[in-house]
Amino acid sequence: MIVTRKTKKFPRTRKIILTLSFLAFGVAIIIAFWLANILEVLSNVQKSESAARKTDHSQNPKSDSTAIKVDWVGVPKEAIGHSLVAKGDNFVTNIRNILFVKEEDDRNVFLKFLEVYKNRPDKVNMCGIRINHALALFTTVYELQPTTVIESGVNAGQSTYFIRHAAPNTNIIAIDPLEKPICGQEKRWMDPSGKTEYLTGGKFKDLYDIDWAAMTSKKEIDPKTTLAFLDDHLQVLTRIPPLIKAGIRHVIVEDNYSRGRGATPSDKAGMTPKQLFFSDNPNSRWLWQNMVSYREFPPIVPSTMSVESVTQKKKPAGGFMVASDLNDDTMEPILRPDKDSGDMVIYREMAEFLEIDPRLRDKNSYMQFMNYNFICYFELV
Protein backbone atom coordinates (compact mmCIF):
# COMPACT_ATOMS: atom_id res chain seq x y z
CA MET A 1 0.00 0.00 0.00
CA ILE A 2 2.78 2.36 0.79
CA VAL A 3 4.43 1.70 -2.56
CA THR A 4 1.16 2.14 -4.39
CA ARG A 5 0.62 5.58 -2.82
CA LYS A 6 4.08 6.78 -3.77
CA THR A 7 3.62 5.60 -7.32
CA LYS A 8 0.35 7.53 -7.66
CA LYS A 9 1.76 10.80 -6.24
CA PHE A 10 4.99 10.95 -8.34
CA PRO A 11 3.39 11.92 -11.71
CA ARG A 12 1.38 14.67 -9.97
CA THR A 13 4.57 16.09 -8.38
CA ARG A 14 6.42 15.98 -11.68
CA LYS A 15 3.55 17.80 -13.36
CA ILE A 16 3.69 20.52 -10.76
CA ILE A 17 7.48 20.83 -11.19
CA LEU A 18 7.17 21.03 -14.99
CA THR A 19 4.43 23.64 -14.68
CA LEU A 20 6.55 25.76 -12.36
CA SER A 21 9.54 25.37 -14.71
CA PHE A 22 7.53 26.65 -17.67
CA LEU A 23 6.23 29.53 -15.59
CA ALA A 24 9.81 30.40 -14.49
CA PHE A 25 11.00 30.20 -18.09
CA GLY A 26 8.21 32.53 -19.16
CA VAL A 27 9.02 35.01 -16.40
CA ALA A 28 12.72 34.86 -17.39
CA ILE A 29 11.83 35.69 -21.00
CA ILE A 30 9.72 38.64 -19.88
CA ILE A 31 12.53 39.92 -17.62
CA ALA A 32 15.09 39.46 -20.41
CA PHE A 33 12.88 41.39 -22.83
CA TRP A 34 12.44 44.15 -20.26
CA LEU A 35 16.19 44.37 -19.63
CA ALA A 36 16.86 44.42 -23.36
CA ASN A 37 14.59 47.44 -23.74
CA ILE A 38 16.36 49.24 -20.89
CA LEU A 39 19.78 48.48 -22.38
CA GLU A 40 18.60 49.75 -25.76
CA VAL A 41 17.48 53.02 -24.20
CA LEU A 42 20.83 53.40 -22.38
CA SER A 43 22.66 52.60 -25.60
CA ASN A 44 20.77 55.29 -27.46
CA VAL A 45 21.65 57.83 -24.75
CA GLN A 46 25.33 56.90 -25.01
CA LYS A 47 25.19 57.17 -28.80
CA SER A 48 23.64 60.61 -28.51
CA GLU A 49 26.38 61.76 -26.14
CA SER A 50 29.02 60.25 -28.40
CA ALA A 51 27.53 62.02 -31.41
CA ALA A 52 27.70 65.32 -29.56
CA ARG A 53 31.41 64.75 -28.99
CA LYS A 54 32.17 63.33 -32.41
CA THR A 55 33.34 66.60 -33.91
CA ASP A 56 35.95 66.98 -31.20
CA HIS A 57 37.15 63.40 -30.79
CA SER A 58 36.87 61.78 -34.22
CA GLN A 59 40.49 62.50 -35.09
CA ASN A 60 41.78 61.52 -31.67
CA PRO A 61 40.63 57.92 -30.99
CA LYS A 62 42.53 57.69 -27.74
CA SER A 63 40.50 60.46 -26.10
CA ASP A 64 37.49 58.33 -25.21
CA SER A 65 39.58 55.39 -23.97
CA THR A 66 41.74 57.52 -21.68
CA ALA A 67 39.13 60.00 -20.46
CA ILE A 68 39.41 60.87 -16.80
CA LYS A 69 35.94 60.81 -15.25
CA VAL A 70 36.97 61.92 -11.76
CA ASP A 71 38.30 65.17 -10.36
CA TRP A 72 41.99 65.97 -10.80
CA VAL A 73 44.12 64.23 -8.18
CA GLY A 74 46.66 67.05 -7.70
CA VAL A 75 45.29 69.53 -5.16
CA PRO A 76 47.73 72.00 -3.54
CA LYS A 77 48.07 72.18 0.23
CA GLU A 78 48.49 75.51 2.01
CA ALA A 79 51.42 74.22 4.06
CA ILE A 80 54.90 72.86 3.49
CA GLY A 81 55.59 69.14 3.69
CA HIS A 82 53.65 68.12 0.56
CA SER A 83 54.42 67.34 -3.08
CA LEU A 84 52.12 70.15 -4.26
CA VAL A 85 51.73 73.34 -2.26
CA ALA A 86 50.39 76.85 -2.70
CA LYS A 87 50.45 79.96 -0.56
CA GLY A 88 47.97 82.79 -0.89
CA ASP A 89 46.58 83.95 -4.20
CA ASN A 90 48.09 85.73 -7.17
CA PHE A 91 47.19 86.01 -10.85
CA VAL A 92 48.17 82.36 -11.48
CA THR A 93 45.17 81.32 -9.37
CA ASN A 94 42.90 82.64 -12.15
CA ILE A 95 45.12 81.69 -15.07
CA ARG A 96 42.34 80.28 -17.27
CA ASN A 97 40.20 83.42 -16.99
CA ILE A 98 43.21 85.59 -17.76
CA LEU A 99 44.00 83.56 -20.87
CA PHE A 100 40.55 83.23 -22.39
CA VAL A 101 38.67 86.44 -21.59
CA LYS A 102 38.54 88.70 -24.64
CA GLU A 103 40.26 92.06 -24.38
CA GLU A 104 39.47 95.39 -26.02
CA ASP A 105 40.88 94.26 -29.38
CA ASP A 106 38.43 91.30 -29.31
CA ARG A 107 41.29 88.81 -28.85
CA ASN A 108 42.33 86.96 -25.73
CA VAL A 109 45.80 86.54 -24.24
CA PHE A 110 45.96 82.90 -25.31
CA LEU A 111 45.51 83.75 -29.00
CA LYS A 112 48.08 86.54 -28.75
CA PHE A 113 50.54 84.09 -27.22
CA LEU A 114 49.95 81.47 -29.93
CA GLU A 115 50.75 84.00 -32.63
CA VAL A 116 53.99 84.88 -30.87
CA TYR A 117 54.83 81.22 -30.27
CA LYS A 118 54.22 80.26 -33.89
CA ASN A 119 56.82 82.83 -34.98
CA ARG A 120 59.41 81.92 -32.33
CA PRO A 121 63.00 82.11 -33.59
CA ASP A 122 63.90 78.48 -32.76
CA LYS A 123 61.08 76.03 -33.49
CA VAL A 124 62.71 73.20 -31.44
CA ASN A 125 64.77 75.08 -28.82
CA MET A 126 66.47 71.87 -27.71
CA CYS A 127 67.81 73.15 -24.39
CA GLY A 128 65.23 75.82 -23.68
CA ILE A 129 61.61 76.54 -22.91
CA ARG A 130 58.77 75.12 -24.96
CA ILE A 131 55.06 75.84 -25.03
CA ASN A 132 54.10 75.21 -21.36
CA HIS A 133 56.81 77.39 -19.87
CA ALA A 134 56.70 79.90 -22.71
CA LEU A 135 53.01 80.45 -21.99
CA ALA A 136 53.74 80.86 -18.27
CA LEU A 137 56.50 83.40 -18.91
CA PHE A 138 54.55 85.31 -21.55
CA THR A 139 51.44 85.49 -19.36
CA THR A 140 53.40 86.62 -16.31
CA VAL A 141 55.09 89.45 -18.17
CA TYR A 142 51.90 90.38 -20.02
CA GLU A 143 49.89 90.48 -16.79
CA LEU A 144 52.45 92.31 -14.61
CA GLN A 145 53.91 94.63 -17.28
CA PRO A 146 57.10 95.06 -15.22
CA THR A 147 59.29 98.08 -15.81
CA THR A 148 62.35 95.77 -15.78
CA VAL A 149 62.84 92.02 -16.25
CA ILE A 150 66.03 90.43 -14.96
CA GLU A 151 66.60 87.36 -17.10
CA SER A 152 69.13 85.06 -15.43
CA GLY A 153 69.95 82.47 -18.09
CA VAL A 154 69.64 83.46 -21.74
CA ASN A 155 71.06 80.64 -23.87
CA ALA A 156 69.49 80.96 -27.36
CA GLY A 157 67.42 84.03 -26.46
CA GLN A 158 64.06 82.32 -26.78
CA SER A 159 62.85 83.58 -23.40
CA THR A 160 64.07 87.09 -24.24
CA TYR A 161 61.90 86.88 -27.34
CA PHE A 162 58.77 86.02 -25.32
CA ILE A 163 59.46 88.70 -22.71
CA ARG A 164 59.87 91.36 -25.38
CA HIS A 165 56.67 90.43 -27.20
CA ALA A 166 54.69 90.35 -23.94
CA ALA A 167 55.93 93.80 -22.87
CA PRO A 168 57.32 95.91 -25.75
CA ASN A 169 58.34 98.80 -23.48
CA THR A 170 59.96 96.95 -20.58
CA ASN A 171 63.70 97.03 -19.98
CA ILE A 172 65.43 93.63 -19.96
CA ILE A 173 68.71 92.81 -18.23
CA ALA A 174 69.88 89.57 -19.84
CA ILE A 175 72.47 87.68 -17.76
CA ASP A 176 74.46 84.69 -19.00
CA PRO A 177 78.13 83.71 -18.57
CA LEU A 178 78.23 82.33 -22.12
CA GLU A 179 78.33 84.35 -25.30
CA LYS A 180 76.89 81.61 -27.48
CA PRO A 181 74.06 79.11 -26.88
CA ILE A 182 74.64 75.44 -26.04
CA CYS A 183 73.06 72.26 -27.48
CA GLY A 184 74.13 73.00 -31.02
CA GLN A 185 71.82 75.97 -31.42
CA GLU A 186 73.37 78.13 -34.07
CA LYS A 187 72.88 81.62 -32.71
CA ARG A 188 71.25 83.63 -29.98
CA TRP A 189 68.16 85.71 -30.73
CA MET A 190 69.11 89.32 -30.05
CA ASP A 191 66.48 91.87 -29.12
CA PRO A 192 66.43 94.56 -31.83
CA SER A 193 64.49 97.07 -29.68
CA GLY A 194 67.57 98.51 -27.98
CA LYS A 195 65.88 98.05 -24.60
CA THR A 196 67.81 94.94 -23.55
CA GLU A 197 71.15 95.17 -21.79
CA TYR A 198 73.23 92.04 -22.36
CA LEU A 199 75.51 91.10 -19.46
CA THR A 200 76.81 88.03 -21.27
CA GLY A 201 80.17 86.52 -22.12
CA GLY A 202 82.93 89.00 -21.31
CA LYS A 203 80.38 91.46 -19.86
CA PHE A 204 78.87 88.88 -17.54
CA LYS A 205 77.80 89.94 -14.05
CA ASP A 206 75.85 87.67 -11.73
CA LEU A 207 72.93 88.71 -9.52
CA TYR A 208 75.33 89.09 -6.59
CA ASP A 209 77.72 91.31 -8.58
CA ILE A 210 75.23 93.89 -9.77
CA ASP A 211 74.83 96.96 -7.57
CA TRP A 212 71.04 97.02 -7.42
CA ALA A 213 71.02 99.70 -4.73
CA ALA A 214 72.99 102.08 -6.95
CA MET A 215 70.71 101.36 -9.90
CA THR A 216 67.70 102.03 -7.71
CA SER A 217 69.08 105.33 -6.43
CA LYS A 218 69.75 106.40 -10.02
CA LYS A 219 66.18 105.37 -10.89
CA GLU A 220 67.51 102.92 -13.44
CA ILE A 221 65.25 100.27 -11.94
CA ASP A 222 62.21 100.24 -9.67
CA PRO A 223 62.47 97.09 -7.50
CA LYS A 224 58.74 97.06 -6.78
CA THR A 225 57.93 96.74 -10.49
CA THR A 226 60.85 94.50 -11.43
CA LEU A 227 60.44 90.81 -12.30
CA ALA A 228 63.27 88.29 -11.86
CA PHE A 229 63.16 85.33 -14.25
CA LEU A 230 65.45 82.56 -12.99
CA ASP A 231 66.39 80.08 -15.71
CA ASP A 232 70.03 79.49 -14.85
CA HIS A 233 69.99 75.94 -13.40
CA LEU A 234 71.62 77.16 -10.19
CA GLN A 235 70.39 76.44 -6.68
CA VAL A 236 67.29 78.61 -6.48
CA LEU A 237 67.48 79.11 -2.72
CA THR A 238 70.85 80.84 -3.11
CA ARG A 239 69.39 83.24 -5.70
CA ILE A 240 66.69 84.61 -3.41
CA PRO A 241 68.72 86.61 -0.80
CA PRO A 242 70.15 89.16 -3.29
CA LEU A 243 66.65 89.71 -4.66
CA ILE A 244 65.19 90.30 -1.20
CA LYS A 245 68.08 92.63 -0.37
CA ALA A 246 67.42 94.61 -3.55
CA GLY A 247 63.70 94.84 -2.76
CA ILE A 248 62.68 92.81 -5.81
CA ARG A 249 59.38 91.07 -5.06
CA HIS A 250 58.26 89.33 -8.25
CA VAL A 251 60.01 86.07 -9.19
CA ILE A 252 59.38 83.31 -11.71
CA VAL A 253 61.43 80.10 -11.57
CA GLU A 254 61.59 78.13 -14.80
CA ASP A 255 63.28 74.88 -13.70
CA ASN A 256 61.27 74.17 -10.56
CA TYR A 257 62.11 70.46 -10.57
CA SER A 258 60.41 68.02 -8.21
CA ARG A 259 62.30 65.96 -5.64
CA GLY A 260 65.19 63.95 -7.08
CA ARG A 261 64.74 65.36 -10.59
CA GLY A 262 66.83 67.77 -12.60
CA ALA A 263 69.07 68.28 -15.61
CA THR A 264 72.11 69.33 -13.54
CA PRO A 265 73.50 68.52 -10.07
CA SER A 266 72.27 71.93 -8.89
CA ASP A 267 68.78 71.10 -10.12
CA LYS A 268 68.80 67.93 -8.02
CA ALA A 269 70.27 69.52 -4.89
CA GLY A 270 66.90 69.98 -3.20
CA MET A 271 66.98 73.77 -3.53
CA THR A 272 64.12 74.45 -5.93
CA PRO A 273 60.95 75.75 -4.25
CA LYS A 274 59.11 72.53 -5.09
CA GLN A 275 61.88 70.36 -3.65
CA LEU A 276 62.17 72.51 -0.55
CA PHE A 277 58.46 72.57 0.17
CA PHE A 278 58.24 68.80 0.05
CA SER A 279 59.96 68.74 3.45
CA ASP A 280 59.66 70.74 6.64
CA ASN A 281 63.15 72.03 7.45
CA PRO A 282 64.86 75.35 8.24
CA ASN A 283 65.46 76.18 4.55
CA SER A 284 61.90 75.45 3.48
CA ARG A 285 60.49 77.38 6.43
CA TRP A 286 62.74 80.38 5.67
CA LEU A 287 61.61 80.51 2.04
CA TRP A 288 57.96 79.98 2.98
CA GLN A 289 58.06 82.78 5.53
CA ASN A 290 59.64 85.16 3.00
CA MET A 291 56.86 84.59 0.47
CA VAL A 292 53.59 86.47 0.24
CA SER A 293 52.25 84.06 -2.37
CA TYR A 294 53.41 80.99 -4.28
CA ARG A 295 51.71 79.26 -7.21
CA GLU A 296 52.79 76.67 -9.76
CA PHE A 297 51.59 77.12 -13.32
CA PRO A 298 49.52 74.23 -14.63
CA PRO A 299 50.49 72.50 -17.88
CA ILE A 300 48.29 73.27 -20.88
CA VAL A 301 46.98 69.70 -21.26
CA PRO A 302 47.24 66.54 -19.09
CA SER A 303 49.92 63.92 -19.56
CA THR A 304 47.31 61.41 -20.78
CA MET A 305 47.26 63.21 -24.12
CA SER A 306 50.60 61.53 -24.84
CA VAL A 307 49.25 57.97 -24.56
CA GLU A 308 50.07 57.34 -28.24
CA SER A 309 53.52 58.90 -28.05
CA VAL A 310 56.67 56.88 -28.73
CA THR A 311 57.93 58.13 -25.34
CA GLN A 312 56.21 56.33 -22.48
CA LYS A 313 58.98 55.93 -19.91
CA LYS A 314 59.87 58.71 -17.49
CA LYS A 315 63.46 59.88 -17.97
CA PRO A 316 65.69 60.37 -14.90
CA ALA A 317 65.83 64.16 -15.33
CA GLY A 318 62.04 64.28 -15.13
CA GLY A 319 61.63 67.25 -17.43
CA PHE A 320 58.84 65.67 -19.46
CA MET A 321 55.42 64.36 -18.56
CA VAL A 322 54.39 60.82 -19.59
CA ALA A 323 50.94 59.25 -19.87
CA SER A 324 51.46 57.12 -16.76
CA ASP A 325 52.19 60.07 -14.43
CA LEU A 326 50.19 59.98 -11.19
CA ASN A 327 49.76 63.79 -11.32
CA ASP A 328 49.47 64.10 -7.54
CA ASP A 329 52.22 66.75 -7.68
CA THR A 330 50.78 68.63 -10.68
CA MET A 331 48.17 71.37 -10.88
CA GLU A 332 45.07 70.58 -12.93
CA PRO A 333 45.83 71.50 -16.56
CA ILE A 334 44.45 74.65 -18.15
CA LEU A 335 42.62 72.55 -20.74
CA ARG A 336 41.00 69.17 -20.14
CA PRO A 337 40.50 67.73 -23.65
CA ASP A 338 40.44 64.29 -22.01
CA LYS A 339 36.98 65.04 -20.58
CA ASP A 340 35.68 68.31 -22.05
CA SER A 341 34.62 68.55 -25.70
CA GLY A 342 35.03 72.33 -25.76
CA ASP A 343 38.60 72.04 -24.50
CA MET A 344 39.24 69.37 -27.14
CA VAL A 345 38.23 71.84 -29.84
CA ILE A 346 40.61 74.48 -28.44
CA TYR A 347 43.45 71.96 -28.14
CA ARG A 348 43.06 70.60 -31.67
CA GLU A 349 42.80 74.08 -33.18
CA MET A 350 45.90 75.15 -31.26
CA ALA A 351 47.86 72.08 -32.40
CA GLU A 352 46.77 72.60 -36.00
CA PHE A 353 47.76 76.27 -35.89
CA LEU A 354 51.22 75.33 -34.59
CA GLU A 355 51.51 72.39 -37.03
CA ILE A 356 51.79 69.91 -34.17
CA ASP A 357 50.18 66.46 -34.07
CA PRO A 358 47.53 66.66 -31.29
CA ARG A 359 48.00 62.94 -30.60
CA LEU A 360 51.71 63.66 -29.94
CA ARG A 361 52.85 60.57 -31.82
CA ASP A 362 56.08 62.07 -33.19
CA LYS A 363 58.98 63.15 -31.01
CA ASN A 364 58.76 66.89 -31.70
CA SER A 365 55.04 67.10 -30.96
CA TYR A 366 55.57 65.16 -27.74
CA MET A 367 58.46 67.38 -26.67
CA GLN A 368 56.47 70.55 -27.31
CA PHE A 369 53.47 69.72 -25.14
CA MET A 370 54.95 67.39 -22.53
CA ASN A 371 57.99 69.46 -21.51
CA TYR A 372 57.05 70.69 -18.03
CA ASN A 373 59.07 71.42 -14.87
CA PHE A 374 56.47 72.90 -12.50
CA ILE A 375 57.36 76.49 -13.44
CA CYS A 376 56.25 78.79 -10.62
CA TYR A 377 55.61 82.42 -9.77
CA PHE A 378 55.89 83.90 -6.30
CA GLU A 379 55.91 87.23 -4.51
CA LEU A 380 58.54 87.95 -1.89
CA VAL A 381 57.93 89.97 1.24
Side-chain angles (χ1 to χ4, degrees):
M1 294 298 290
I2 297 176
V3 174
T4 302
R5 287 174 182 168
K6 286 186 177 179
T7 303
K8 287 181 179 179
K9 288 184 178 180
F10 179 73
R12 188 179 301 170
T13 303
R14 184 174 62 182
K15 185 177 180 179
I16 293 172
I17 293 173
L18 288 173
T19 301
L20 291 175
S21 297
F22 279 116
L23 287 173
F25 182 72
V27 172
I29 291 176
I30 293 172
I31 293 173
F33 182 76
W34 179 67
L35 288 174
N37 285 336
I38 292 177
L39 290 173
E40 183 177 0
V41 172
L42 291 175
S43 177
N44 289 335
V45 172
Q46 289 178 341
K47 287 179 180 178
S48 298
E49 292 176 346
S50 177
R53 296 191 304 263
K54 188 174 181 181
T55 302
D56 307 317
H57 293 266
S58 58
Q59 295 183 20
N60 196 349
K62 74 174 184 60
S63 298
D64 291 330
S65 62
T66 61
I68 297 175
K69 301 300 183 183
V70 296
D71 291 339
W72 188 258
V73 67
V75 178
K77 303 292 190 298
E78 285 265 357
I80 57 177
H82 303 279
S83 60
L84 180 59
V85 307
K87 182 176 183 179
D89 287 320
N90 54 49
F91 72 91
V92 183
T93 312
N94 302 310
I95 187 67
R96 181 170 176 124
N97 289 337
I98 290 173
L99 290 175
F100 292 105
V101 172
K102 288 185 178 181
E103 299 189 316
E104 293 180 359
D105 58 2
D106 203 35
R107 296 189 304 156
N108 59 45
V109 176
F110 192 67
L111 289 177
K112 293 177 181 180
F113 163 75
L114 289 180
E115 292 172 359
V116 172
Y117 194 78
K118 185 178 179 66
N119 296 311
R120 62 196 184 281
D122 190 326
K123 296 298 186 287
V124 178
N125 200 29
M126 185 58 69
C127 288
I129 61 175
R130 298 182 180 86
I131 192 165
N132 283 304
H133 290 200
L135 177 61
L137 175 60
F138 181 90
T139 307
T140 300
V141 177
Y142 188 90
E143 181 70 12
L144 298 181
Q145 288 298 309
T147 54
T148 301
V149 175
I150 303 167
E151 180 188 13
S152 183
V154 181
N155 196 38
Q158 193 96 317
S159 51
T160 316
Y161 166 84
F162 292 119
I163 294 168
R164 176 55 61 215
H165 282 79
N169 296 319
T170 193
N171 295 314
I172 302 174
I173 301 175
I175 302 171
D176 198 299
L178 301 179
E179 196 65 65
K180 296 181 179 180
I182 60 174
C183 297
Q185 292 168 278
E186 295 182 2
K187 60 181 180 179
R188 173 176 290 160
W189 183 84
M190 303 296 289
D191 180 14
S193 72
K195 296 178 181 179
T196 296
E197 179 183 6
Y198 286 93
L199 300 180
T200 60
K203 298 180 181 179
F204 171 69
K205 288 184 180 180
D206 197 12
L207 290 175
Y208 288 96
D209 302 323
I210 299 173
D211 192 341
W212 301 112
M215 293 181 69
T216 301
S217 64
K218 295 176 183 178
K219 300 187 182 303
E220 295 176 350
I221 67 164
D222 179 357
K224 294 181 180 179
T225 57
T226 294
L227 170 69
F229 174 54
L230 304 181
D231 186 17
D232 47 27
H233 292 274
L234 299 173
Q235 295 184 17
V236 177
L237 186 65
T238 66
R239 316 295 282 166
I240 303 302
L243 298 179
I244 292 177
K245 182 179 180 180
I248 297 169
R249 298 179 56 246
H250 303 281
V251 185
I252 181 169
V253 176
E254 202 267 335
D255 294 298
N256 190 26
Y257 284 99
S258 60
R259 188 175 57 151
R261 303 290 188 176
T264 69
S266 291
D267 292 335
K268 301 176 183 178
M271 296 298 178
T272 70
K274 192 169 186 69
Q275 292 168 351
L276 285 163
F277 293 151
F278 186 82
S279 303
D280 186 345
N281 57 59
N283 284 333
S284 61
R285 288 195 294 272
W286 178 86
L287 184 57
W288 187 260
Q289 291 166 2
N290 278 281
M291 285 181 173
V292 176
S293 68
Y294 170 85
R295 290 279 170 171
E296 294 177 14
F297 286 91
I300 298 175
V301 295
S303 60
T304 51
M305 302 308 293
S306 68
V307 72
E308 293 184 71
S309 171
V310 294
T311 302
Q312 293 297 323
K313 186 177 180 181
K314 194 84 167 180
K315 295 183 178 180
F320 290 85
M321 300 184 293
V322 294
S324 60
D325 282 344
L326 297 177
N327 296 316
D328 59 330
D329 60 354
T330 306
M331 294 293 296
E332 182 174 11
I334 297 169
L335 299 176
R336 291 300 301 275
D338 55 326
K339 73 170 189 176
D340 187 281
S341 60
D343 283 2
M344 175 61 81
V345 171
I346 296 173
Y347 172 58
R348 286 177 52 196
E349 289 179 348
M350 169 178 56
E352 181 181 0
F353 179 71
L354 298 176
E355 300 179 348
I356 295 174
D357 175 19
R359 293 160 68 178
L360 312 183
R361 291 168 295 184
D362 63 278
K363 183 178 179 180
N364 180 59
S365 298
Y366 167 81
M367 290 174 65
Q368 285 298 325
F369 275 100
M370 293 295 109
N371 182 212
Y372 175 72
N373 295 333
F374 309 99
I375 185 170
C376 66
Y377 164 81
F378 53 87
E379 296 171 283
L380 296 169
V381 294

